[in-house]
Amino acid sequence: MPIFPEENDFLSLFESKPMLLDTTKKDLPFYYNEATYRFSNGQEDFVIKLCPSYGEVKIQVSMHSSNRLLSLLDLKRVEKLEITADKKERASVLLTIDNEDSQQMIEIDFKPYFKQIFKEHLT
């Protein structure tokens, strides 16, 4: 079962409310829904789509001034999403993907500017 933070943690991190895919069931837990967050750090615009129960994470980053695509991650097997920084001036996460013979870790900074670091470790 994938490990993701709670809904309130994402509200604080992204400083925006999500658009939920299923709004028909008022008591549907966040973990079983699909949430899309849209926000900007002033230099880059972000569209983050999360489906925690399936371990799906999609992160699209575009230049604010030109709308030019900078990065697109579309991950289907995220085991763990950790918030590593959630401050006014700094926001970042760490994504972990476990494979049979390796572990992939992706560090992503949203503020003060976008940065992505991908590391793979053999197990």
Side-chain angles (χ1 to χ4, degrees), residues 35-37 46-51 55-61 72-76 78 95:
T36 301
Y37 297 85
F46 298 89
V47 178
I48 314 290
K49 188 180 290 187
L50 304 172
C51 192
E56 294 182 1
V57 175
K58 184 175 182 179
I59 301 174
Q60 181 177 317
V61 185
L72 176 63
L73 280 176
D74 194 355
L75 306 170
K76 303 297 184 196
V78 174
L95 307 172

Side-chain angles (χ1 to χ4, degrees), residues 9 18 26 33 37-38 50 52 65 68 71 74 77 84 87-89 92 95 97 101 103 105 107-108 116-117 119 123:
D9 297 326
K26 300 289 184 207
N33 210 333
Y37 297 85
R38 296 177 185 278
L50 304 172
S65 58
R68 182 175 60 91
S71 176
D74 194 355
R77 297 181 307 157
T84 54
K87 300 189 184 313
K88 184 98 175 127
E89 66 283 346
S92 59
L95 307 172
I97 302 165
D101 58 351
Q103 183 180 62
M105 302 180 91
E107 302 171 34
I108 300 173
Q116 177 178 294
I117 299 172
K119 297 178 184 177
T123 53

Side-chain angles (χ1 to χ4, degrees), residues 5-28:
E6 297 293 322
E7 180 178 14
N8 287 340
D9 297 326
F10 288 116
L11 289 171
S12 174
L13 179 70
F14 300 139
E15 297 178 346
S16 70
K17 290 185 178 182
M19 284 183 43
L20 299 174
L21 180 65
D22 190 347
T23 58
T24 60
K25 300 175 189 142
K26 300 289 184 207
D27 60 341
L28 182 66

